[in-house]
């Protein structure tokens, strides 16, 4: 009993090292040593009333944002919250334009040499390129093989030309390829230009995600808007392809900051029951930009005008500096209570709410914590956790596999272009890909609503694995039988099966990639949500980057590429079972919350059967956490295995 009283007097109620960095051990040790010998009452009084900057525990009421603060503000029922959600939807249309601009700016046109008097008309033809274009997700514009199909000797003679004539199929009179004659020996520069936007997106996700956790979502959003206007409009003034590629890298970097900050703000504004619906509406608006892009290109006619028209709508987002506030959830999670109190009063004023409706006493508790020092966390803290890092790594591998294998299915489907009348032109290819993506998002809504996040992700990953394995194995078997006389098999049968499997694979892999990003946003704590989203979005970018790499090597190693990603789908199916279910669960706010966010079994255990999962107390002992975490983080000892 004396030991328990001394522990309560010395440090009960302090937070975990994972959340606030380090504990002043010297001060605590000296106070504990002096307490029983000199003046126990005074020492106890000093330790039970620490200064706010010493790392004392925060009120559990303030850490329960979904259960206390959000109901006090009215959830999505408040008019101001609905306005903010609408403001996160509107830029999705502009983002959709930017994501799919490469399909028009860098499309490989048909070309011939004017000096050849028509002899090069057919031999310089490059119409096989669009068959490899895949419109998948964020920035998923895949290019075309740039090498002509004639024999090397003829090709070398055709490339000696002083003036080229182009026929662009993407609705433009002139694009980047025809502007600087990026054909023959210069065709590799087209792939570098495609690399630049994707690499800029990858670096942007990683860096702006960490910055958003440190300085907030609002500054990242506004500064990204300012710089995308600068770099995006300068792209239209490029004087050579090197300048174009360099500026496109920075444009992609800024675009990543806008995508990530809007995604995090959208998630953090919503109560548990509306997060998926609000996110899917934003995805549909971005797809509307994809569908409208061909018409916009046909109206602009020139690539420089098209680039300017795509970037100029971001000027409207400069008004967000005045009308869009910082994420209140992030302010509360990082214990910036002075700014949180002002923002809560702003919300209540906009919604015309009475402050006396605060039944749970959020404002009185907030007033007590105003002098507390903010505690911001970097994504690097995940390395010291037991469950959180595992969940993020699994979702990163899922997004990498989903977006990476999408190109394999697109290549297989468009590889039979000469035999499929539906893909004889650019617009048929473009809208086929867009239609598959739209159907995938439409199917996600009922599937995720019925099976949950983990069940939906598992179902779509199984479909992806089946489509890839059947395409690799069954089609090879059909090809062998088609060579036997009297087998009844023909190449047309093989092509039809390949097309069917490719459509199913593209459908399911798009859902896997999109759902992995959303899943990560839900299970990553608020204090590091930007960094977690940055990791999974960057993994998706790496998956997309494999497509232009394959094209740069003229599709050499394509079969091995498909085999590797097919094996990854099998690994992902097993790893998805390790994830928790986040449907209708509160968002974790700090790292201990995310660490307790453990999985439930797929099937509920029978009545009277002992569950195999550890309880929270056993989990804390196993992971090396102290008993004081239950007091410091406001986590009850008898919570469910899901930890929320």
């Amino acid at each position: 009993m004396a030991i328990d009283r001394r522990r309560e007097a010395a440090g009960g109620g302090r937070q975990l090292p994972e959340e606030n960095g380090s504990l002043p051990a010297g001060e605590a040790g000296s106070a504990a040593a002096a307490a029983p010998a000199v003046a126990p009452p005074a020492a106890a009084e000093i330790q039970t009333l620490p200064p706010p900057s010493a790392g004392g525990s925060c009120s559990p009421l303030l850490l329960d944002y979904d259960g206390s603060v959000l109901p006090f503000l009215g959830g999505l029922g408040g008019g101001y919250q609905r306005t903010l959600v609408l403001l996160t939807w509107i830029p999705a249309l502009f983002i959709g334009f930017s994501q799919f601009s490469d399909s028009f700016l860098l499309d490989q046109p048909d070309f011939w040499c004017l000096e050849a008097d028509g002899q090069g008309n057919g031999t310089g033809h490059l119409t096989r390129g669009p068959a490899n274009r895949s419109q998948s997700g964020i920035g998923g514009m895949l290019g075309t093989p740039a090498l002509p199909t004639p024999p090397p000797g003829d090709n070398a003679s055709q490339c000696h030309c002083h003036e080229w004539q182009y026929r662009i199929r993407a609705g433009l009179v002139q694009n980047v390829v025809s502007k600087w004659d990026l054909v023959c020996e210069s065709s590799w520069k087209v792939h570098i230009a495609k690399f630049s936007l994707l690499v800029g997106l990858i670096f942007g996700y990683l860096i702006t995600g960490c910055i958003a956790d440190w300085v907030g979502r609002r500054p990242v959003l506004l500064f990204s808007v300012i710089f995308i206007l600068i770099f995006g409009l300068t792209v239209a003034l490029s004087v050579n392809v090197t300048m174009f590629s360099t500026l496109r890298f920075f444009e992609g970097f800024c675009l990543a900051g806008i995508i990530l900050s809007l995604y995090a703000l959208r998630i953090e504004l919503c109560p548990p029951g509306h997060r998926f619906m609000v996110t899917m509406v934003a995805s549909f608006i971005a797809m509307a930009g994809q569908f409208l892009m061909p018409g916009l290109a046909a109206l602009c006619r020139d690539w420089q005008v098209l680039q300017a028209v795509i970037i100029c709508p971001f000027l409207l987002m400069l008004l967000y500096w005045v009308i869009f506030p910082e994420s209140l959830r992030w302010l509360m999670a990082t214990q910036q209570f002075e700014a949180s109190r002002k923002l809560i009063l702003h919300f209540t004023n906009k919604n015309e709410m009475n402050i006396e409706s605060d039944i749970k006493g959020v404002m009185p508790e907030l007033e007590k914590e105003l002098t507390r020092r903010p505690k911001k966390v970097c994504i690097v803290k995940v390395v010291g956790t037991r469950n959180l890092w595992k969940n993020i790594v699994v979702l990163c591998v899922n997004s990498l596999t989903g977006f990476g294998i999408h190109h394999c299915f697109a290549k297989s489907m468009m590889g039979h272009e000469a035999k499929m009348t539906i893909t004889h032109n650019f617009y048929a290819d473009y809208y086929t890909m867009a239609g598959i993506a739209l159907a995938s998002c439409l199917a996600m809504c009922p599937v995720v609503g019925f099976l949950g996040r983990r069940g939906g992700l598992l179902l779509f990953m199984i479909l992806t694995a089946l489509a890839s394995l059947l395409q690799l194995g069954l089609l090879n078997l059909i090809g062998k039988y088609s060579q036997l006389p009297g087998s009844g098999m023909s190449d047309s049968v093989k092509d039809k099966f390949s097309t069917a499997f490719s459509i199913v694979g593209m459908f399911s892999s798009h859902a896997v990639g999109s759902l992995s990003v959303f899943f990560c946003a839900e299970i990553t704590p608020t204090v590091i949500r930007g960094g977690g989203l940055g990791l999974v979005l960057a993994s998706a970018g790496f998956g997309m980057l494999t497509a232009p790499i394959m094209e740069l090597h003229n599709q050499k190693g394509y079969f091995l590429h498909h085999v590797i990603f097919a094996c990854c789908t099998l690994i992902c199916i097993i790893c998805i079972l390790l994830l928790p279910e986040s449907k209708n669960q509160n968002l974790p706010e700090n790292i201990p919350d995310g660490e307790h966010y453990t999985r439930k079994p797929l099937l509920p255990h029978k009545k009277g059967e002992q569950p195999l999962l550890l309880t929270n107390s056993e989990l804390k002992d196993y992971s090396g956490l102290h008993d004081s975490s239950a007091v410091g983080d406001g986590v009850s000892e008898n919570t469910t295995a899901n930890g929320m």
Side-chain angles (χ1 to χ4, degrees):
M1 298 296 293
I3 294 175
D4 292 337
R5 286 196 298 270
R6 192 157 59 244
R7 286 174 60 185
E8 293 177 1
R14 298 205 174 206
Q15 289 185 330
L16 289 173
E18 287 87 346
E19 182 181 358
N20 59 3
S22 61
L23 192 67
E27 178 185 348
S30 60
V38 183
E45 182 179 357
I46 292 174
Q47 294 297 332
T48 53
L49 296 174
S53 60
S57 64
C58 178
S59 172
L61 186 68
L62 301 180
L63 296 178
D64 185 17
Y65 187 89
D66 283 313
S68 302
V69 181
L70 197 57
F72 167 55
L73 298 177
L76 276 184
Y80 188 54
Q81 288 92 310
R82 293 181 180 179
T83 303
L84 294 180
V85 171
L86 178 63
L87 290 176
T88 64
W89 284 344
I90 294 174
L93 183 65
F94 315 148
I95 293 171
F97 289 150
S98 298
Q99 287 173 346
F100 299 97
S101 59
D102 273 1
S103 298
F104 300 86
L105 299 179
L106 298 171
D107 178 61
Q108 285 282 4
D110 304 336
F111 65 94
W112 60 90
C113 185
L114 291 181
E115 297 177 356
D117 295 330
Q119 295 179 1
N121 237 351
T123 56
H125 206 260
L126 286 178
T127 56
R128 298 295 297 174
N132 300 317
R133 186 173 294 102
S134 171
Q135 315 292 338
S136 62
I138 301 171
M141 296 74 64
L142 310 184
T144 65
L147 296 179
T149 54
D154 297 338
N155 184 29
S157 62
Q158 294 160 11
C159 286
H160 293 288
C161 183
H162 297 288
E163 184 177 0
W164 293 102
Q165 186 71 24
Y166 299 94
R167 183 173 64 248
I168 303 174
R169 299 155 297 121
L172 297 174
V173 175
Q174 185 186 59
N175 67 357
V176 174
V177 178
S178 61
K179 172 73 173 179
W180 293 302
D181 293 330
L182 303 182
V183 293
C184 292
E185 67 275 2
S186 299
S187 60
W188 62 273
K189 297 179 182 179
V190 178
H191 303 294
I192 300 300
K194 293 177 182 179
F195 289 164
S196 62
L197 183 67
L198 284 175
V199 174
L201 283 167
I202 292 171
F203 279 95
Y205 289 137
L206 294 174
I207 296 175
T208 59
C210 297
I211 297 175
D213 290 332
W214 196 256
V215 303
R217 286 75 165 112
R218 182 172 175 263
V220 170
L221 174 63
L222 297 174
F223 279 102
S224 297
V225 169
I226 293 173
F227 284 107
I228 199 175
L229 287 170
I230 296 173
F231 292 116
L233 293 176
T234 311
V235 167
L237 304 176
S238 300
V239 296
N240 53 46
V241 67
T242 303
M243 180 179 178
F244 176 86
S245 301
T246 304
L247 292 174
R248 288 285 280 180
F249 170 85
F250 292 106
E251 181 187 348
F253 189 97
C254 300
L255 183 64
I258 297 174
I259 294 172
L260 187 142
S261 55
L262 285 175
Y263 205 108
L265 286 167
R266 202 178 292 125
I267 290 288
E268 293 171 358
L269 276 169
C270 300
H274 296 83
R275 291 194 297 257
F276 185 71
M277 180 270 294
V278 169
T279 303
M280 291 309 299
V281 170
S283 299
F284 288 128
I285 294 175
M287 287 183 184
Q290 179 180 358
F291 277 94
L292 294 174
M293 192 65 193
L296 191 64
L299 290 174
C300 295
R301 306 294 289 171
D302 187 83
W303 75 271
Q304 292 175 309
V305 178
L306 178 62
Q307 174 67 18
V309 170
I310 289 172
I311 297 297
C312 283
F314 286 103
L315 285 169
L316 298 176
M317 294 189 67
L318 293 176
L319 299 175
Y320 282 37
W321 186 274
V322 180
I323 61 179
F324 209 98
E326 181 56 85
S327 171
L328 178 59
R329 188 189 296 267
W330 177 78
L331 291 174
M332 297 288 289
T334 53
Q335 301 185 13
Q336 302 180 61
F337 294 127
E338 179 64 32
S340 301
R341 184 179 68 88
K342 295 179 182 179
L343 191 53
I344 289 177
L345 294 176
H346 179 68
F347 270 78
T348 55
N349 183 35
K350 289 288 185 180
N351 292 329
E352 298 180 355
M353 296 174 56
N354 188 358
I355 200 69
E356 296 179 358
S357 62
D358 184 10
I359 302 176
K360 294 188 177 182
V362 174
M363 292 302 291
E365 290 291 333
L366 196 59
E367 296 287 346
K368 298 177 184 178
E369 307 286 350
L370 290 181
T371 57
R372 183 174 295 276
R373 181 180 299 173
K375 293 181 176 62
K376 301 176 182 179
V377 185
C378 181
I379 188 64
V380 181
K381 292 286 184 179
V382 172
V383 178
T385 62
R386 176 175 172 263
N387 290 314
L388 189 56
W389 74 269
K390 174 255 299 177
N391 295 336
I392 295 177
V393 168
V394 168
L395 291 172
C396 286
V397 175
N398 273 269
S399 63
L400 172 66
T401 304
F403 284 104
I405 202 172
H406 192 283
H407 169 66
C408 300
F409 292 120
K411 170 69 170 60
S412 298
M413 187 176 74
M414 293 304 179
H416 308 288
E417 183 183 9
K419 303 176 183 179
M420 296 173 59
T421 57
I422 193 174
T423 56
H424 272 172
N425 59 73
F426 171 83
Y427 294 105
D429 295 346
Y430 185 88
Y431 282 114
T432 298
M433 302 301 173
I436 293 173
L438 178 61
S440 176
C441 288
L442 289 173
M444 282 173 58
C445 298
V447 169
V448 174
F450 181 72
L451 297 178
R453 279 62 160 155
R454 182 175 59 169
L457 184 59
L458 182 61
L459 175 63
F460 287 119
M461 184 60 78
I462 291 174
L463 288 177
T464 305
L466 287 175
S468 61
L469 293 176
L470 288 174
Q471 193 169 52
L472 292 172
L474 181 61
L475 294 182
N476 188 25
L477 185 63
I478 292 176
K480 290 181 179 179
Y481 275 105
S482 64
Q483 298 176 359
L484 298 177
S487 62
M489 294 289 182
S490 62
D491 290 339
S492 62
V493 175
K494 180 181 177 181
D495 294 341
K496 290 177 181 178
F497 273 107
S498 177
T499 302
F501 293 148
S502 298
I503 292 175
V504 173
M506 293 173 65
F507 169 86
S508 56
S509 61
H510 183 274
V512 166
S514 302
L515 194 53
S516 298
V517 176
F518 174 75
F519 207 163
C520 181
E522 283 199 320
I523 67 174
T524 306
T526 302
V527 291
I528 57 170
R529 182 164 293 121
L533 267 174
L535 287 174
V536 72
L537 286 170
S539 300
F542 276 114
M544 299 171 194
L545 198 60
T546 58
I549 291 175
M550 294 296 297
E551 292 158 11
L552 186 61
H553 293 83
N554 201 23
Q555 302 299 333
K556 292 180 180 178
Y558 158 75
F559 183 78
L560 180 60
H561 175 208
H562 197 170
V563 170
I564 291 174
F565 276 114
C567 296
C568 289
T569 58
L570 301 178
I571 298 173
C572 290
I573 290 173
I574 300 173
C575 294
I576 289 172
L577 300 176
L578 303 176
L579 295 174
E581 177 53 61
S582 59
K583 181 182 178 182
N584 294 326
Q585 298 285 342
N586 295 343
L587 291 178
E589 303 299 337
N590 47 43
I591 290 183
D593 286 346
E595 183 66 7
H596 294 317
Y597 210 153
T598 53
R599 67 182 178 90
K600 289 180 180 178
L602 285 176
L603 300 175
H605 61 273
K606 298 179 181 179
K607 186 176 180 180
E609 181 182 353
Q610 183 69 24
L612 298 178
L613 294 178
L614 297 176
T615 62
N616 270 359
S617 58
E618 293 170 334
L619 178 62
K620 285 182 287 184
D621 292 338
Y622 183 83
S623 58
L625 305 178
H626 299 292
D627 293 336
S628 61
S629 64
V631 181
D633 303 315
V635 179
S636 174
E637 289 291 336
N638 57 357
T639 52
T640 63
N642 212 30
M644 298 303 295

